[in-house]
Amino acid sequence: GLDINKIRSYKLISHTGQPFYNVVFYEEVVEPMVTEQELKDILFEGFKSIKYTPVTKSTKNKIGVVKIADLHLGSYVDNLIRTKNFSIDILANKLSEAVTDINERGYSIVHVHILGDLIESFTGLSHKNTWKGLDKAMVGAEAVKLVVKILHDNFLSKIVNLGEVKVVAGNHDRTTSDNKEDVQGGGANLVCWGLQLLGYSVEFNSLVITHTIDKITHILTHGHHALSKKSTKQLCWDYGVQGNYNLICE
């Protein structure tokens, strides 16, 4: 029942005793035909029983600004010589360890900056062969739900005196396999929408966010857009605040 017109190559294997063919087909990408609203409806059902309850503690210590990046939830790495193991469980544990470190500092308020690539792949096809490294087919709405749940359960909800959450999109956060079709980081946008449903104060931008705290202006971007090719001076001029200390984070 396979279309022989889509065969790229074939080879007869005869040395095994029982001859057989290896047949290679041209790659065919099938995008999920789901609207944004349908995705939001699925997510809404998954989140309606979860609500964020702030953890507060009176302190006069300074404001804290926490930056994390490249969560790549759904990526799975195991038994590679030069690459550390990575999985959903490892990610969750690392975030929990980060919370302990943050809370020990006793900040009066903690702002969190997330610099993109929250998801390894929304479609399973962000890059060639991405699907081979996906952890149990964490794609689409399930990937978004799991990112939100892990960020909530293991990280954001446990931070004492949590303030604002700022998120920019990365190149893995798109909702299509072709980076020319989704340049808005739709996957990360859906994660932020889910976090807002839970009660967090979240700002999302696909390109760049400027956040000024204590006269320090944080310029946040993932690093894969053309703007990152600009000079430091030009980035500060275009996205910073003159007279402040401008910190570029990619």
Side-chain angles (χ1 to χ4, degrees):
L2 296 173
D3 187 351
I4 62 172
N5 294 315
K6 294 181 179 178
I7 292 175
R8 188 173 68 190
S9 65
Y10 62 90
K11 183 179 180 181
L12 175 63
I13 308 299
S14 58
H15 62 270
T16 57
Q18 178 67 45
F20 64 91
Y21 280 95
N22 273 346
V23 184
V24 179
F25 286 79
Y26 288 103
E27 182 180 55
E28 184 175 6
V29 176
V30 180
E31 298 288 4
M33 299 300 292
V34 181
T35 67
E36 182 178 350
Q37 188 55 52
E38 286 172 327
L39 276 170
K40 285 186 174 180
D41 290 342
I42 294 170
L43 296 174
F44 181 80
E45 285 298 312
F47 296 145
K48 64 182 181 181
S49 63
I50 308 172
K51 288 297 175 186
Y52 165 56
T53 302
V55 181
T56 59
K57 184 178 181 181
S58 180
T59 175
K60 294 184 179 179
N61 285 353
K62 294 181 179 180
I63 296 172
V65 184
V66 173
K67 301 178 192 298
I68 61 174
D70 297 280
L71 303 180
H72 289 279
L73 186 135
S75 177
Y76 183 80
V77 178
D78 190 35
N79 290 325
L80 295 184
I81 295 173
R82 296 187 179 182
T83 305
K84 291 183 179 180
N85 290 347
F86 189 73
S87 68
I88 291 170
D89 289 340
I90 290 172
L91 172 61
N93 290 335
K94 290 292 184 182
L95 289 172
S96 295
E97 290 173 11
V99 169
T100 301
D101 188 11
I102 294 163
N103 289 341
E104 284 177 350
R105 296 166 188 256
Y107 292 125
S108 61
I109 187 169
V110 179
H111 299 296
V112 174
H113 297 162
I114 305 178
L115 305 180
D117 280 357
L118 284 71
I119 300 172
E120 171 63 15
S121 174
F122 188 89
T123 63
L125 292 164
S126 286
H127 295 287
K128 294 291 185 183
N129 295 329
T130 293
W131 60 272
K132 291 183 179 178
L134 284 177
D135 192 350
K136 298 178 182 177
M138 283 301 161
V139 294
E142 291 304 314
V144 172
K145 283 197 287 186
L146 197 56
V147 173
V148 172
K149 192 170 187 315
I150 285 179
L151 283 174
H152 170 72
D153 289 348
N154 298 84
F155 190 59
L156 296 175
S157 70
K158 291 181 167 57
I159 295 176
V160 176
N161 299 332
L162 178 67
E164 297 179 48
V165 180
K166 308 289 186 181
V167 182
V168 292
N171 50 303
H172 278 252
D173 293 321
R174 60 184 183 267
T175 55
T176 65
S177 62
D178 190 341
N179 59 9
K180 296 180 179 63
E181 293 175 22
D182 177 9
V183 296
Q184 301 300 317
N189 194 7
L190 285 168
V191 169
C192 293
W193 183 83
L195 290 172
Q196 287 171 336
L197 275 183
L198 271 54
Y200 292 97
S201 174
V202 182
E203 178 185 356
F204 169 79
N205 191 283
S206 62
L207 186 66
V208 61
I209 289 177
T210 298
H211 189 196
T212 298
I213 308 159
D214 273 354
K215 294 186 178 181
I216 297 176
T217 297
H218 303 252
I219 302 168
L220 315 174
T221 189
H222 181 65
H224 66 299
H225 291 290
L227 72 88
S228 294
K229 297 179 181 179
K230 294 182 179 181
S231 67
T232 299
K233 177 180 177 181
Q234 193 63 47
L235 280 171
C236 290
W237 185 262
D238 290 346
Y239 302 103
V241 175
Q242 307 311 309
N244 282 1
Y245 185 94
N246 291 282
L247 177 63
I248 300 170
C249 310
E250 294 186 337

